[in-house]
Amino acid sequence: MPQPNEPSDPATPLSIYDLTVAYHRKPVIWDVSFDLPSGSLVGIVGPNGAGKSTLLKASMDLIPRASGRVRFFGQTYRHSRNRVGYVPQRESVDWQFPVSALDVVTMGLYDKIGWCRPVRKRHRAQAREALRRVGIGDLADRQISQLSGGQQQRTFLARALVQDADLYLMDEPFAAVDASTELAIVDILRELKGRGKTAVVIHHDLQTVPEYFDYVVLLNMRVVAHGPVVETFTPENLQKTYGGRLTLLDEVTEAMRRRETSL
């Protein structure tokens, strides 16, 4: 891990060193450090209140940091934001805002279009194609308030996709969506990886971690462990991360055993 005054490797999509965030002087995440490999699907896993969403938001300067250094491809977020796509928690969005699904996706192109410049036909065509890729091309003109939860999540995924970023940060994209939407998101993640992109996903369903991701960060205010799933996502590390929730850990261990048997 580079020291704070050393440059980060421009090939590393996300490098975090000694990141601490505090609310009212109470630490939420503490001394978090890791480098993520390029071209990976990364799951960030930990109990409720572990600081997972805070980690993403602090990385993108959406909330202040008490200390630490964050680099995207060797640069600050400000200088690399055009290479980073973000899918926020669905609950954090004002879905009553009077815009269509197409309008939301087109917002992902504003860095390329330029603020206060007209949205042209080709831009809307790109946005429609992104909506088609996530399976809701026929809903492009529907108001976002009229979409189901799964359709809303797909809309924000399409907004990130239209940016054609190199790194995608996704805050619980699988939360409260139907099975078909979850499968659609997984397919998109695998497609992104196949194109050499990196996706960082906050995830809660431990049983699907070995199936969906190849790299994992186990977080509970501090990083308990991080590394390839096959080496890091172990009962011992999960015990350290989640404490005494043995029933849950037993279920995960069984799911991992079944997966190894099927390989």
Side-chain angles (χ1 to χ4, degrees):
M1 175 70 67
Q3 295 302 307
N5 60 345
E6 295 178 355
S8 299
D9 184 349
T12 301
L14 178 58
S15 175
I16 296 178
Y17 178 83
D18 193 26
L19 177 61
T20 295
V21 177
Y23 294 144
H24 305 293
R25 298 186 179 180
K26 181 179 180 181
V28 180
I29 53 175
W30 180 263
D31 193 23
V32 169
S33 298
F34 57 77
D35 290 344
L36 295 184
S38 180
S40 295
L41 301 182
V42 181
I44 298 183
V45 174
N48 292 335
K52 300 183 294 297
S53 295
T54 297
L55 174 62
L56 292 192
K57 291 176 181 177
S59 298
M60 295 182 291
D61 301 326
L62 297 177
I63 57 176
R65 304 193 289 261
S67 67
R69 184 218 61 205
V70 179
R71 294 292 183 269
F72 296 88
F73 304 101
Q75 298 182 306
T76 63
Y77 178 68
R78 177 185 175 187
H79 291 96
S80 55
R81 59 182 300 164
N82 64 319
R83 299 184 68 183
V84 181
Y86 176 48
V87 179
Q89 284 187 12
R90 192 163 57 86
E91 291 77 8
S92 67
V93 177
D94 179 8
W95 294 107
Q96 299 305 314
F97 197 75
V99 291
S100 68
L102 183 64
D103 293 330
V104 171
V105 177
T106 304
M107 292 175 188
L109 290 167
Y110 281 1
D111 278 345
K112 298 177 181 178
I113 297 171
W115 292 96
C116 300
R117 296 175 67 98
V119 177
R120 302 192 181 280
K121 186 176 181 179
R122 70 175 183 276
H123 301 135
R124 294 194 175 275
Q126 288 177 262
R128 288 185 183 276
E129 172 60 18
L131 286 167
R132 185 199 65 77
R133 286 177 62 193
V134 300
I136 55 170
D138 58 329
L139 302 178
D141 299 315
R142 186 169 296 184
Q143 294 289 299
I144 56 172
S145 62
Q146 299 172 351
L147 301 176
S148 69
Q151 291 163 350
Q152 290 172 345
Q153 192 68 288
R154 291 182 192 224
T155 299
F156 266 78
L157 180 61
R159 187 187 70 167
L161 290 177
V162 82
Q163 294 178 251
D164 193 27
D166 295 310
L167 170 65
Y168 292 89
L169 305 180
M170 303 185 182
D171 196 344
E172 300 189 43
F174 300 113
V177 299
D178 54 69
S180 63
T181 296
E182 181 159 336
L183 290 176
I185 295 172
V186 172
D187 286 343
I188 290 291
L189 290 175
R190 290 171 177 163
E191 177 191 337
L192 291 173
K193 179 184 176 181
R195 293 164 52 202
K197 313 289 188 178
T198 303
V200 181
V201 180
I202 293 177
H203 192 56
H204 279 289
D205 182 5
L206 296 182
Q207 295 190 58
T208 56
V209 168
E211 179 183 356
Y212 292 174
F213 305 106
D214 44 52
Y215 198 94
V216 66
V217 177
L218 296 173
L219 183 72
N220 193 345
M221 292 186 66
R222 304 185 72 166
V223 173
V224 176
H226 67 93
V229 168
V230 292
E231 300 172 6
T232 308
F233 198 69
T234 64
E236 293 77 16
N237 283 334
L238 288 169
Q239 180 74 49
K240 294 176 184 177
T241 306
Y242 286 87
R245 303 179 186 185
L246 295 178
T247 300
L248 175 62
L249 298 181
D250 287 345
E251 292 175 357
V252 173
T253 301
E254 177 61 21
M256 293 171 64
R257 187 194 64 77
R258 290 197 301 269
R259 180 174 183 273
E260 291 170 356
T261 301
S262 65
L263 293 179

